[in-house]
Amino acid sequence: MPSLALGVDLGGTNARAAVVDRDSGEVVAAHKEPHQDRSAEAVVAEVVGALRSAAAAARIDLQACGQVGVGVAGQCHSKAGTVLNAPNLGWRNVPLGPMLSKELGLPVRIANDLAVAAWGEKRFGAAKGLSDVILVFIGTGVGSAIISRGQLHEGAGGVAGEFGHIKVRPIRPTTAVRTCGCGMTSCLEAYTSGVNLAARVREDLQAGVRTLVRDLVQGDLSRVSAAVVDEAYSRKDPYVIGLWEEVADLMGTAIANYVTVLNPSRVVLGGGVILWCPELERLVRQVFEQQASRTALIGFDFARAHLGDDAGVIGAALLE
Amino acid sequence: MPSLALGVDLGGTNARAAVVDRDSGEVVAAHKEPHQDRSAEAVVAEVVGALRSAAAAARIDLQACGQVGVGVAGQCHSKAGTVLNAPNLGWRNVPLGPMLSKELGLPVRIANDLAVAAWGEKRFGAAKGLSDVILVFIGTGVGSAIISRGQLHEGAGGVAGEFGHIKVRPIRPTTAVRTCGCGMTSCLEAYTSGVNLAARVREDLQAGVRTLVRDLVQGDLSRVSAAVVDEAYSRKDPYVIGLWEEVADLMGTAIANYVTVLNPSRVVLGGGVILWCPELERLVRQVFEQQASRTALIGFDFARAHLGDDAGVIGAALLE
């Protein structure tokens, strides 16, 4: 097997290609192309361009790497190489794998962006060497990826890990049922993602709720974010204390239930709503400890994602 | 590989050993031994006796089968061959695999009873030929087992599948929080297992609730069961309608969330609270359809467990 591998992180705004060292997980060279046009043909040309530029920077021949892996911000059917649904690209059922493979003359493996990030963390990051791990991501959206017996669990239809769309019930019966971007109600994401949290706090501010958040953003509602809310929690703002307790109960219980059924040895936490909100993270871990089954807690720990933005290209490059 | 295999189903009251045809899944011969004494030594002697009797009935030499598989009603660490906790046997940390292996002079593989039942259903039952399946069992207790990429997912500590111990919140805020046999509160099992449902209805009857259940059991509270409650539902008993809606909401949502994160192509349903309660099963499926993510429903179906009491010995015999 060649010692260098090719990985692509395909997001809603750009494609980043990298040459990755298989033995160390190091990114040897990388190149980013912003999307000019989101048609599949334009994006395929962009990805090919980004790969050629990264390969040139690393002074290698593309063909010598033997395979290309691509992590896509959307639902993928890995076996077929199809992007089933990528809202940020406006794609449905795009045969990205075959299209890229034809252009490159190389086998192409595609997977969901969180699946490749989990794979990157498993190979060279916060889950290195572990066989049973879950990555939980709570950022703009909420998602997850599962590694079972050392391999990615992608599910029968390739859409496993949709943690943001499990249905939850807030601890306060007075909390209004929220509608998710997916169209359903009561999804975990509708209560806990960065976008939805900010929207909820803005609604409450507009309705006249008294909270320090208003002062922290100096009245500019566009600046409301989970990190600002967390800052208000640390200053003991009563509105935020209630909100954070509710959100932590939902997240902590959902992660506890996930661990109770899958029994991983670690959950790797990623995404800004966890990584940039230390008070919320502490509360989530407290709820988790109270709610997970005692047997699933034996030998279990949490870790924070290590690889940052590189997890995607590293994981994609090393897909098996 | 020999064409016949040896499997044992080790429960709280007896050990059943069988000789199973690897190619058809057929039980060629079986022998059951009731427990005289629950010490590990006595049970090991019993299992060896049951295996010898089954082998004699099938006119084969035990050694010719090459391996013995055992499904245990308890938590197991398969790699170590240890029964971590089997409440019905009063066992904690019993090295059953090594003990049996020493007596038999054969490799022994042990696993949880629901894991081997799922494996039996996957090899020759309701999940035959499928790679990603969940078995959900709602009977005396509540549990599950996961098959991922064609293999049992046992988890890092061997205790995956503890579906009965996920934490849930009933739809009616007035429903009292219930304590589970595991010592924690709000476990799914505390609201939905046969034992707990019967206990709850008996409590309500003792508190004077008006319901047809009282007539159906002719005032004999020891006869209260999930099946009787289901019968009262079909006769439109208002108390039972409320109870069954709450129970179906908890079960249907929990199964929907399980399917949303794991994306199996099928859930195999087993256990008396589902199989003997057609009204409840219908309600659970309705809630499930409403709550599972749309993408996880593509290509998904339910099936009822096929193999009955043989699933354990068949699955155990064919463990890999």
Side-chain angles (χ1 to χ4, degrees):
Chain A
M1 193 176 282
S3 66
L4 296 175
L6 299 166
V8 178
D9 185 355
L10 180 56
T13 55
N14 62 65
R16 181 162 176 258
V19 177
V20 176
D21 185 313
R22 278 185 199 280
D23 300 318
S24 67
E26 193 196 339
V27 174
V28 176
H31 185 88
K32 193 185 275 191
E33 289 274 349
H35 299 322
Q36 306 296 335
D37 167 356
R38 290 175 185 181
S39 71
E41 292 70 21
V43 169
V44 163
E46 232 171 71
V47 168
V48 171
L51 280 164
R52 294 225 162 99
S53 300
R59 303 183 180 209
I60 57 159
D61 177 19
L62 264 189
Q63 254 63 26
C65 293
Q67 178 183 301
V68 174
V70 186
V72 185
Q75 295 177 326
C76 297
H77 195 285
S78 299
K79 278 181 205 156
T82 306
V83 178
L84 301 171
N85 186 19
N88 296 335
L89 287 161
W91 287 6
R92 274 191 182 270
N93 299 313
V94 170
L96 179 67
M99 288 174 78
L100 263 177
S101 186
K102 195 177 159 198
E103 288 299 314
L104 293 165
L106 282 170
V108 173
R109 173 100 158 78
I110 73 167
N112 169 262
D113 55 353
L114 288 184
V116 302
W119 191 245
E121 295 288 350
K122 183 242 179 315
R123 292 297 310 281
F124 291 106
K128 192 171 174 181
L130 300 179
S131 295
D132 289 277
V133 184
I134 301 172
L135 173 77
V136 167
F137 181 92
I138 305 176
T140 312
V142 173
S144 74
I146 300 161
I147 289 167
S148 161
R149 299 173 62 127
Q151 297 193 294
L152 273 173
H153 171 90
E154 295 179 274
V159 298
E162 291 279 11
F163 186 58
H165 303 289
I166 65 167
K167 303 303 178 284
V168 297
R169 185 165 293 144
I171 197 164
R172 298 184 292 194
T174 51
T175 295
V177 169
R178 298 191 71 84
T179 300
C180 184
C182 77
M184 300 184 83
T185 53
S186 302
C187 291
L188 180 64
E189 178 165 309
Y191 296 94
T192 65
S193 76
V195 167
N196 284 297
L197 280 171
R200 179 169 173 186
V201 174
R202 271 196 293 269
E203 285 164 24
D204 288 345
L205 285 168
Q206 279 161 346
V209 158
R210 289 171 64 114
T211 161
L212 261 179
V213 173
R214 199 184 301 272
D215 305 331
L216 291 171
V217 299
Q218 296 173 306
D220 177 0
L221 298 198
S222 71
R223 289 172 56 196
V224 172
S225 70
V228 170
V229 176
D230 205 61
E231 171 66 23
Y233 182 93
S234 68
R235 299 191 194 187
K236 303 191 168 48
D237 179 66
Y239 162 80
V240 168
I241 288 174
L243 177 65
W244 251 204
E245 282 175 356
E246 176 169 293
V247 169
D249 171 75
L250 292 173
M251 268 190 216
T253 303
I255 298 171
N257 287 348
Y258 211 168
V259 167
T260 297
V261 293
L262 283 176
N263 184 214
S265 59
R266 182 168 291 169
V267 165
V268 175
L269 296 169
V273 176
I274 283 290
L275 300 183
W276 304 335
C277 299
E279 299 284 358
L280 182 60
E281 183 185 0
R282 188 175 52 77
L283 295 172
V284 167
R285 289 188 185 215
Q286 268 175 16
V287 172
F288 172 86
E289 294 284 341
Q290 289 156 8
Q291 302 286 59
S293 75
R294 300 301 95 180
T295 44
L297 286 178
I298 297 167
F300 173 85
D301 65 11
F302 279 108
R304 302 171 120 231
H306 282 185
L307 301 179
D309 288 345
D310 282 343
V313 288
I314 295 170
L318 302 177
L319 281 174
E320 286 170 3
Chain B
M1 192 176 283
S3 66
L4 296 175
L6 299 166
V8 178
D9 185 354
L10 179 56
T13 55
N14 62 64
R16 182 162 175 258
V19 177
V20 176
D21 185 312
R22 277 186 199 280
D23 300 319
S24 67
E26 194 196 338
V27 174
V28 175
H31 185 88
K32 193 184 276 191
E33 289 275 349
H35 300 322
Q36 305 295 337
D37 167 355
R38 290 174 185 181
S39 70
E41 292 70 20
V43 168
V44 163
E46 232 171 73
V47 168
V48 171
L51 281 164
R52 293 225 162 98
S53 300
R59 303 184 180 210
I60 57 159
D61 177 19
L62 265 188
Q63 255 62 28
C65 292
Q67 178 182 303
V68 174
V70 185
V72 184
Q75 294 177 326
C76 297
H77 195 286
S78 299
K79 278 181 205 156
T82 306
V83 178
L84 301 171
N85 187 19
N88 296 336
L89 287 162
W91 287 7
R92 274 191 182 270
N93 299 313
V94 170
L96 178 66
M99 289 174 78
L100 263 177
S101 186
K102 195 177 159 199
E103 288 298 313
L104 292 165
L106 282 170
V108 173
R109 174 100 157 78
I110 73 167
N112 168 263
D113 55 352
L114 289 184
V116 301
W119 190 245
E121 295 288 350
K122 183 243 179 314
R123 292 298 309 280
F124 292 106
K128 193 172 173 179
L130 300 179
S131 295
D132 289 277
V133 184
I134 300 172
L135 173 76
V136 167
F137 181 93
I138 304 175
T140 312
V142 174
S144 74
I146 300 161
I147 289 167
S148 161
R149 299 174 63 127
Q151 297 194 294
L152 272 174
H153 171 91
E154 295 180 273
V159 299
E162 291 280 11
F163 185 58
H165 303 289
I166 66 168
K167 303 303 178 284
V168 297
R169 185 164 292 145
I171 197 163
R172 298 183 292 193
T174 51
T175 295
V177 169
R178 298 191 71 84
T179 300
C180 184
C182 77
M184 299 184 84
T185 53
S186 303
C187 292
L188 180 64
E189 178 165 309
Y191 295 95
T192 65
S193 76
V195 168
N196 284 297
L197 281 171
R200 178 168 173 188
V201 173
R202 272 195 293 269
E203 285 164 25
D204 288 346
L205 285 168
Q206 279 160 348
V209 158
R210 288 171 65 115
T211 161
L212 260 180
V213 173
R214 198 184 299 272
D215 305 332
L216 291 172
V217 299
Q218 297 175 303
D220 176 0
L221 298 198
S222 71
R223 289 171 57 196
V224 172
S225 70
V228 170
V229 177
D230 205 62
E231 170 65 23
Y233 182 93
S234 68
R235 298 190 193 187
K236 303 191 168 48
D237 179 65
Y239 161 80
V240 169
I241 288 173
L243 177 65
W244 251 205
E245 282 176 355
E246 177 170 292
V247 170
D249 172 74
L250 292 173
M251 269 193 215
T253 303
I255 299 172
N257 287 347
Y258 212 167
V259 166
T260 297
V261 293
L262 283 176
N263 184 215
S265 59
R266 182 168 291 168
V267 166
V268 176
L269 296 169
V273 176
I274 284 290
L275 301 183
W276 304 336
C277 299
E279 299 284 357
L280 182 61
E281 183 185 358
R282 186 176 52 76
L283 294 172
V284 168
R285 289 188 184 215
Q286 269 175 14
V287 172
F288 172 86
E289 294 283 341
Q290 289 157 9
Q291 302 286 58
S293 75
R294 300 301 95 180
T295 44
L297 286 179
I298 298 167
F300 174 86
D301 65 11
F302 279 108
R304 302 172 120 228
H306 282 184
L307 301 179
D309 288 344
D310 281 343
V313 288
I314 295 170
L318 303 177
L319 281 174
E320 286 170 2

